[in-house]
């Protein structure tokens, strides 16, 4: 890979970038001391354990162990090769790269097909958009959208189109442009007839909404039927480029605004996102016909602390709001609900009352998730009946008891007491019992977690010798003079394979004339395991101005390790000799142990 792009070019790109800027495009970072922290993009977590060091130009997750520099971060998050990461980051700098081999020669077959899939979707979108905006065939669709309040600006911004009522309109168009029909069928753009294998258009007589992945590649379509037909909305089938559970509608465009406002507005589908955009909501995103997944929730949470849920007011919409709010809360997001009047979805409301009122009366007039539960738990209950009433009160007391702040709990309990003419004291007493029960449950869970953690910590307890090797590696990464002194004193006498390998690489690195630069050094490590360990050690806070005595103490641990290991082995032999009554042998071994201990003290 390095042969294709000269190392000096790679170094030039690395020097021109700030890892904080690179990572902050994917992770919401907050300043904490000298570093920045955020939620790790590589594993699920509620509390930030992902750290980015602008000084060392490295990132490291203390939860899952992921780490590296700007290039490795892009490789991991985007799932691309090193050469592609270099190209991507180069585009963000003024560094020009030498001519590279063509995409087809340097990328595997699947990636080559992906390129055709993306191109096929782009061509299809342009065709559909052209049909909608300028052709006679699109006149009825244009009129329909005009009546629904869609402006030319909206249609162009979201690249909306129209698929004519034809079985081969798109497939013939793609054929003429030399697209392979089996590839187009594989990515869901067309279908293949079972009878003769000939292609046919999946979408017919539908208004077409392109769907993009988080990087802005067009990967699918959503089609709304124009006249009679079922289903009303139809998405492209899932494929290797389109996974509904991993994408959100218009996320690639909304993400900058979401990050800037630290807030996302989540709708059920693309029509609501488009309609709300007309109302000035540029941080709106939508689902793709499936329930919100944990991955989608994490995707949102990495970019915003707050999420406004705005779903339909019908039964299905209420259920989706409740379920998805809980999923989002589990990621640590603040979740609020924008409530619509009964019988409305966001698009309907905007059509009837206009964008301004939608923004003021719905989106800006949101309620807390707890306030929403007051409505949600009423569903299917007749509060005139004692049983339903008591069940509802119990559900609300349980919900209120989970709130972290006493002021919030008091506020909602008073609301409940007033509504049912109940004693506030009685509700507080009930709440106290619920909280006690919850605390007992939490204590059990915490105890079990602590026990498990204690066992894990015990297993991971470092010996004085291993700790010394780790500290020396960390110091060597930051100081050339310390590395040279360690090399002179102990050379390769690191006794753990990983540290021995890293030490050898450090010696070689400085031997080539480089100065301390952990980011640059890590880039040269090909082994993932070694890179992970090195990143962790490079992120350690070390004092390179340590005293000579401190450095010697670490080196002493390395020098003495073989003799300490020998003592351990002798003690095992001594015990075995004693067990079989070979007391003379045991005594000789004891004398040998005393002798080695004396040598250790003299060192």
């Amino acid at each position: 890979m390095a042969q294709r792009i000269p190392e000096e070019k790679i170094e030039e790109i690395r020097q021109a970038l700030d890892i904080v800027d690179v990572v902050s495009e994917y992770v919401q970072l907050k300043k904490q001391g000298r570093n920045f922290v955020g939620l790790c993009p590589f594993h699920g977590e509620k509390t930030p354990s992902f750290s980015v060091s602008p000084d060392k130009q490295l990132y490291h997750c203390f939860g899952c162990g992921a780490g590296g520099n700007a290039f490795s971060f892009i490789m991991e998050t985007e799932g691309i090769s090193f050469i592609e990461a270099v190209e991507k980051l180069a585009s963000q700098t003024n560094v020009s790269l030498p001519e590279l081999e063509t995409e087809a020669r340097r990328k595997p077959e699947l990636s080559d097909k992906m390129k055709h899939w993306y191109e096929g979707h782009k061509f299809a979108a342009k065709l559909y958009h052209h049909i909608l905006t300028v052709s006679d065939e699109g006149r009825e669709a244009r009129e329909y959208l005009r009546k629904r309040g869609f402006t030319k600006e909206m249609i162009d911004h979201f690249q909306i189109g129209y698929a004519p009522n034809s079985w081969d309109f798109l497939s013939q168009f793609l054929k003429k442009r030399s697209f392979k029909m089996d590839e187009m069928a594989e990515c869901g753009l067309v279908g293949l007839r079972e009878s003769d294998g000939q292609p046919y258009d999946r979408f017919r007589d539908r208004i077409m909404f392109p769907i993009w992945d988080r990087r802005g590649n067009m990967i699918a379509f959503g089609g709304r039927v124009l006249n009679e037909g079922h289903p009303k909305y139809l998405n492209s089938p899932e494929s290797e480029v389109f996974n509904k559970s991993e994408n959100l509608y218009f996320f690639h465009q909304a993400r900058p605004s979401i990050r800037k406002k630290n807030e996302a507005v989540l709708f059920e589908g693309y029509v609501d996102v488009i309609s709300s955009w007309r109302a000035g909501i540029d941080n709106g995103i939508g689902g793709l016909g499936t329930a919100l997944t944990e991955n989608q929730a994490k995707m949102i949470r990495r970019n915003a602390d707050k999420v406004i849920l705005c779903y339909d007011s019908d039964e299905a919409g209420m259920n989706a709001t409740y379920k998805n709010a809980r999923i989002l809360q589990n990621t640590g997001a603040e979740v609020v609900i924008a409530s619509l009047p009964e019988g409305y979805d966001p698009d309907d409301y905007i059509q009837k009352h206009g964008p301004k009122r939608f923004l003021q009366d719905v989106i800006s007039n949101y309620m807390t998730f707890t306030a929403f539960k007051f409505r949600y738990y009423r569903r299917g209950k007749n509060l005139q009946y004692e049983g339903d009433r008591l069940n509802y009160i119990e559900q609300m007391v349980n919900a209120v008891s989970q709130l972290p702040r006493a002021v919030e709990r008091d506020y909602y309990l008073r609301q409940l007491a007033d509504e049912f003419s109940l004693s506030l004291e009685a509700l507080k007493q009930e709440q106290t019992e619920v909280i006690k029960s919850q605390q007992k449950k939490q204590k059990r869970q915490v105890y079990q977690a602590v026990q498990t953690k204690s066992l894990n910590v015990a297993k991971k307890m470092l010996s004085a010798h291993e700790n010394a090797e780790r500290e020396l590696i960390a110091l060597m990464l930051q100081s050339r003079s310390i590395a040279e002194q360690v090399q002179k004193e102990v050379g390769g006498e690191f006794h753990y394979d990983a540290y021995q390998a890293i030490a050898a690489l450090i010696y070689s690195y400085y031997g080539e004339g480089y100065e301390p630069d952990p980011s640059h050094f890590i880039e040269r490590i090909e082994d993932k395991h070694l890179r992970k360990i090195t990143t962790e050690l490079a992120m350690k806070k070390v004092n390179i101005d340590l005293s000579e005595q401190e450095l010697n103490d670490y080196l002493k641990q390395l020098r003495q390790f073989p003799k300490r290991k020998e003592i351990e082995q002798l003690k095992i032999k001594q015990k075995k000799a004693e067990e079989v009554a070979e007391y003379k042998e045991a005594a000789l071994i004891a004398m040998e142990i005393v002798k080695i201990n004396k040598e250790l003290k003299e060192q």
Side-chain angles (χ1 to χ4, degrees):
M1 286 183 178
Q3 292 176 350
R4 296 195 189 102
I5 301 178
E7 189 174 334
E8 58 268 22
K9 283 287 184 182
I10 295 172
E11 178 62 11
E12 196 178 343
I13 294 164
R14 195 175 60 80
Q15 293 288 349
L17 292 165
D18 184 346
I19 193 169
V20 175
D21 294 335
V22 174
V23 174
S24 63
E25 284 295 309
Y26 301 80
V27 180
Q28 188 177 15
L29 296 174
K30 292 179 181 177
K31 191 87 162 65
Q32 191 176 90
R34 297 177 68 87
N35 294 343
F36 289 81
V37 297
L39 295 172
C40 180
F42 306 116
H43 83 286
E45 60 180 12
K46 296 181 185 178
T47 306
S49 62
F50 184 81
S51 180
V52 181
S53 169
D55 296 337
K56 299 170 183 175
Q57 289 295 296
L58 295 174
Y59 68 91
H60 177 67
C61 176
F62 295 94
C64 69
N69 60 12
F71 295 119
S72 60
F73 180 82
I74 292 298
M75 288 167 67
E76 292 297 323
T77 51
E78 299 277 1
I80 58 180
S81 67
F82 176 75
I83 211 86
E84 290 171 309
V86 172
E87 286 183 89
K88 183 177 178 70
L89 291 174
S91 69
Q92 299 175 24
T93 70
N94 293 322
V95 180
S96 60
L97 291 173
E99 187 174 345
L100 298 169
E101 294 177 2
T102 63
E103 194 80 7
R105 286 179 60 192
R106 73 166 192 268
K107 294 179 81 174
E109 185 182 350
L110 179 60
S111 294
D112 191 47
K113 275 201 289 188
M114 275 191 177
K115 180 185 174 186
H116 297 155
W117 292 340
Y118 294 147
E119 286 178 350
H121 279 92
K122 273 208 262 186
F123 271 106
K126 286 179 181 178
L127 175 65
Y128 290 146
H129 186 67
H130 175 80
I131 296 298
L132 173 68
T133 53
V134 300
S135 76
D136 289 340
E137 291 169 294
R139 184 180 291 111
E140 187 181 354
R142 283 198 301 275
E143 184 61 23
Y144 170 82
L145 290 173
R146 187 188 64 77
K147 287 178 181 177
R148 295 292 299 178
F150 281 66
T151 63
K152 184 179 185 303
E153 185 184 15
M154 291 164 70
I155 290 169
D156 289 344
H157 187 74
F158 290 89
Q159 298 179 47
I160 302 169
Y162 172 68
N165 194 8
S166 165
W167 284 93
D168 62 357
F169 185 82
L170 176 64
S171 50
Q172 289 299 322
F173 175 83
L174 293 172
K175 261 186 179 180
K176 288 177 183 175
R177 279 150 187 81
S178 302
F179 283 96
K180 297 176 182 177
M181 289 300 101
D182 58 337
E183 286 186 352
M184 296 300 97
E186 208 173 337
C187 70
L189 266 179
V190 301
L192 296 177
R193 288 198 298 261
E194 289 185 13
S195 58
D196 56 8
Q198 289 302 303
Y200 64 88
D201 292 4
R202 284 186 176 275
F203 295 96
R204 299 177 299 280
D205 194 28
R206 287 181 181 270
I207 294 170
M208 302 297 287
F209 302 91
I211 297 169
W212 298 262
D213 65 17
R214 69 185 74 183
R215 294 186 289 275
N217 297 310
M218 202 173 288
I219 55 172
F221 287 97
R224 187 200 186 283
V225 69
L226 183 59
N227 294 300
E228 296 300 318
H230 293 284
K232 182 179 178 182
Y233 287 100
L234 177 68
N235 279 339
S236 295
E238 293 211 344
S239 66
E240 289 188 62
V241 287
F242 179 45
N243 184 334
K244 294 178 190 177
S245 64
E246 297 291 333
N247 292 283
L248 288 162
Y249 180 69
F250 221 58
F251 184 81
H252 71 297
Q253 284 275 15
R255 191 160 70 93
S257 179
I258 289 171
R259 294 179 60 79
K260 184 178 178 182
K261 295 176 179 178
N262 198 18
E263 176 184 280
V265 184
L266 181 60
F267 296 98
E268 282 191 79
Y270 30 82
V271 173
D272 295 333
V273 173
I274 296 167
S275 297
S276 67
W277 182 79
R278 185 165 55 124
I281 300 168
D282 57 0
N283 57 333
I285 50 179
L288 295 169
T290 56
L292 189 72
T293 65
E294 190 179 331
N295 284 340
Q296 288 171 324
K298 288 174 184 173
M299 196 168 139
I300 299 169
R301 178 66 182 90
R302 286 197 292 266
N303 292 275
D305 289 332
K306 183 178 179 181
V307 183
I308 301 174
L309 277 172
C310 186
Y311 284 7
D312 295 359
S313 57
D314 59 13
E315 181 74 6
M318 292 275 283
N319 285 329
T321 298
Y322 180 76
K323 181 182 177 183
N324 294 343
R326 293 185 67 181
I327 293 171
L328 286 160
Q329 270 196 339
N330 286 337
T331 68
E334 177 195 353
V335 183
V336 295
I337 315 300
S339 181
L340 287 155
E342 193 171 343
Y344 282 92
D345 63 22
D347 184 47
D348 294 332
Y349 190 94
I350 292 170
Q351 294 309 313
K352 185 166 183 180
H353 300 289
K356 189 176 179 181
R357 276 195 58 186
F358 177 70
L359 190 60
Q360 291 177 347
D361 299 345
V362 178
I363 299 299
S364 299
N365 192 31
Y366 55 74
M367 67 176 77
T368 65
F369 186 31
T370 304
F372 171 79
K373 288 176 182 177
F374 273 88
R375 297 184 184 183
Y376 183 73
Y377 290 145
R378 288 176 181 271
R379 295 156 35 265
K381 293 183 178 71
N382 184 343
L383 298 184
Q384 300 302 313
Y385 293 132
E386 184 179 330
D388 281 3
R389 190 162 61 248
L390 288 172
N391 179 255
Y392 170 72
I393 292 168
E394 182 185 359
Q395 284 182 303
M396 284 312 306
V397 170
N398 284 332
V400 171
S401 300
Q402 293 172 20
L403 296 172
R405 296 171 58 213
V407 172
E408 284 183 287
R409 296 197 297 268
D410 186 76
Y411 174 82
Y412 289 115
L413 282 185
R414 287 179 187 276
Q415 196 172 312
L416 199 60
D418 291 342
E419 183 178 3
F420 294 99
S421 301
L422 297 169
S423 161
L424 181 61
E425 290 308 312
L427 286 176
K428 284 188 175 181
Q429 189 176 344
E430 183 71 19
Q431 177 190 257
T432 301
E433 292 302 315
V434 172
I435 291 174
K436 281 182 182 177
S437 176
Q438 289 173 350
Q439 286 174 341
K440 282 181 183 178
K441 185 179 178 181
Q442 286 170 355
K443 280 180 181 178
R444 284 197 301 271
Q445 290 173 340
V446 168
Y447 176 77
Q448 290 168 356
V450 168
Q451 291 294 98
T452 304
K453 188 174 182 180
S454 297
L455 287 171
N456 291 336
V457 168
K459 289 176 184 175
K460 293 179 182 178
M461 282 288 282
L462 299 180
S463 65
H465 169 255
E466 184 177 358
N467 185 62
E469 293 201 358
R470 287 172 61 84
E471 290 296 325
L472 284 173
I473 294 291
L475 287 163
M476 290 161 67
L477 286 166
Q478 308 295 336
S479 168
R480 179 174 183 150
S481 62
I482 290 176
E484 288 172 347
Q485 187 173 346
V486 173
Q487 186 176 18
K488 181 181 176 183
E489 295 283 341
V490 297
E493 288 182 24
F494 284 79
H495 301 281
Y496 288 87
D497 291 344
Y499 305 141
Q500 189 180 68
I502 295 167
L505 290 170
I506 293 173
Y507 298 151
S508 173
Y509 181 76
Y510 289 133
E512 291 177 42
Y514 294 112
E515 290 303 313
D517 187 338
S519 176
H520 183 217
F521 174 71
I522 285 167
E523 190 180 298
R524 295 159 55 93
I525 302 175
E526 294 182 5
D527 185 276
K528 285 186 177 181
H529 179 61
L530 291 182
R531 190 161 58 230
K532 184 176 177 180
I533 295 172
T534 307
T535 304
E536 180 188 350
L537 296 177
M539 292 290 282
K540 275 175 67 71
K541 190 175 181 180
V542 294
N543 176 24
I544 60 172
D545 297 320
L546 78 171
S547 67
E548 193 71 23
Q549 180 61 51
E550 287 174 298
L551 181 58
N552 284 333
D553 286 343
Y554 291 137
L555 293 171
K556 188 177 178 181
Q557 284 289 341
L558 266 69
R559 292 193 198 98
Q560 292 186 343
F561 181 75
K563 289 188 179 294
R564 291 188 187 280
K565 200 75 177 170
E566 188 179 351
I567 289 173
E568 285 179 18
Q569 296 298 320
L570 287 171
K571 282 181 178 179
I572 294 170
K573 284 184 179 180
Q574 183 186 19
K575 187 177 180 182
K576 286 181 179 178
E578 289 171 347
E579 286 173 353
V580 294
E582 293 285 346
Y583 298 115
K584 186 177 179 181
E585 178 69 17
L588 289 171
I589 294 172
M591 289 173 64
E592 183 67 19
I593 291 172
V594 170
K595 179 186 172 186
I596 297 172
N597 272 321
K598 187 179 178 182
E599 290 173 358
L600 285 173
K601 286 178 183 178
E602 290 172 353
Q603 281 187 355

